[in-house]
Amino acid sequence: ASLSKGYSPATLAEIRASDANINTSLQPEFGWNYEVGARLNSANKLFELDVTAYYFKLQQAIVRRNNSAGQEYFINAGGTDQKGIELRGSWLLVDKNHGFFTLFKLWSGYTLNHYHFTDYIIGTVDHSENRVTGVPRQISVTGIDVHTAKGFYLYTSLNHTGKLPLNDANTVYARSYNLLQGKLGWKHRFSPSVFLDVYAGIDNALNEKYSLGNDINAIGNRYFNPSPLRNYFGGVVLIF
């Protein structure tokens, strides 16, 4: 368990944002963080589980805004209550130097975010108790890692990201999405100085339409930066 207090001064990019003004009134963020966690390991080290819960109360939160020309600037906007739970687990089904499979591992991580504004008023509009902009309620990532004695390997992962608010008023959301990725390859060491790795993979195998790097509080509803649909990659690594 831990208890900590700290502050974070504004960065140069926040003090002098793209609107070209120098914001001398921008104050550091500060707050208290309360955290407790536990770790469980099986006797044979094949199973691991980490659990963490935290509560971070932030004051003078630095929030991104956009002016009528679409240029960004930053303000101190009340505070936020950030409560969350983080889980991480792994199960090593196979871990040996003989047999066809030398490694077979299942792993998963889960984050639950309960972030809300406190005392956040812009002009005459009160955003207090709204969800913090740009933060999804939940994120989970699950994967499988496989190695074989013949040098073949497979890595797969599925990322689920929940919907998230794109403006402080919480009137526009980016929808949730699921990203399935995979990489299959073969690697072999021919000698102490010669190593070959050949691989191919797929990104966004479910062909999801989603946006990364959303523009928060964007003028004219220009929130989204579309990401690629299903795409493929491959490569060869030769070390000698």
Side-chain angles (χ1 to χ4, degrees):
S2 68
L3 170 64
S4 58
K5 181 183 181 181
Y7 74 96
S8 175
T11 65
L12 180 61
E14 291 169 337
I15 294 173
R16 190 182 186 281
S18 62
D19 66 351
N21 294 317
I22 298 177
N23 189 349
T24 58
S25 64
L26 202 58
Q27 299 299 308
E29 300 175 315
F30 68 92
W32 284 90
N33 186 64
Y34 310 85
E35 186 170 326
V36 60
R39 171 171 292 174
L40 172 67
N41 292 311
S42 62
N44 55 12
K45 304 297 183 181
L46 298 182
F47 179 78
E48 295 182 351
L49 177 65
D50 286 348
V51 182
T52 302
Y54 64 89
Y55 171 42
F56 180 41
K57 188 170 182 61
L58 180 67
Q59 301 294 319
Q60 296 283 21
I62 297 176
V63 178
R64 179 181 182 272
R65 308 291 297 177
N66 287 89
N67 60 24
S68 58
Q71 298 170 323
E72 66 178 8
Y73 65 97
F74 296 84
I75 63 171
N76 292 108
T80 62
D81 278 349
Q82 302 178 18
K83 304 171 185 175
I85 298 175
E86 297 176 350
L87 303 173
R88 184 192 66 85
S90 64
W91 186 13
L92 200 55
L93 283 76
V94 177
D95 185 18
K96 58 186 180 180
N97 295 322
H98 59 277
F100 182 76
F101 291 106
T102 57
L103 175 75
F104 199 108
K105 182 178 181 180
L106 301 176
W107 54 269
S108 184
Y110 177 78
T111 301
L112 177 64
N113 303 309
H114 194 270
Y115 291 11
H116 287 82
F117 290 115
T118 59
D119 304 319
Y120 180 17
I121 300 175
I122 300 295
T124 60
V125 181
D126 188 354
H127 297 307
S128 303
E129 303 306 321
N130 284 0
R131 288 177 55 180
V132 173
T133 317
V135 179
R137 182 76 77 193
Q138 57 185 352
I139 301 173
S140 65
V141 183
T142 302
I144 300 175
D145 299 342
V146 179
H147 292 177
T148 71
K150 298 296 185 180
F152 293 100
Y153 62 87
L154 171 68
Y155 301 130
T156 64
S157 65
L158 176 64
N159 179 315
H160 169 76
T161 299
K163 68 176 186 177
L164 55 92
L166 295 175
N167 60 9
D168 298 340
N170 288 183
T171 56
V172 181
Y173 280 75
R175 69 181 185 180
S176 63
Y177 58 85
N178 298 287
L179 293 182
L180 178 61
Q181 300 171 314
K183 179 181 178 181
L184 176 66
W186 177 76
K187 56 186 176 182
H188 183 73
R189 185 170 293 279
F190 295 94
S191 70
S193 59
V194 179
F195 173 79
L196 177 66
D197 184 3
V198 181
Y199 60 87
I202 183 172
D203 280 328
N204 193 7
L206 302 178
N207 211 34
E208 286 268 32
K209 293 181 179 180
Y210 71 106
S211 172
L212 284 181
N214 299 295
D215 290 334
I216 304 303
N217 293 313
I219 297 297
N221 296 329
R222 297 191 297 268
Y223 300 103
F224 303 100
N225 293 295
S227 296
L229 298 175
R230 184 184 297 118
N231 59 96
Y232 308 88
F233 64 91
V236 177
V237 177
L238 176 61
I239 302 175
F240 57 90

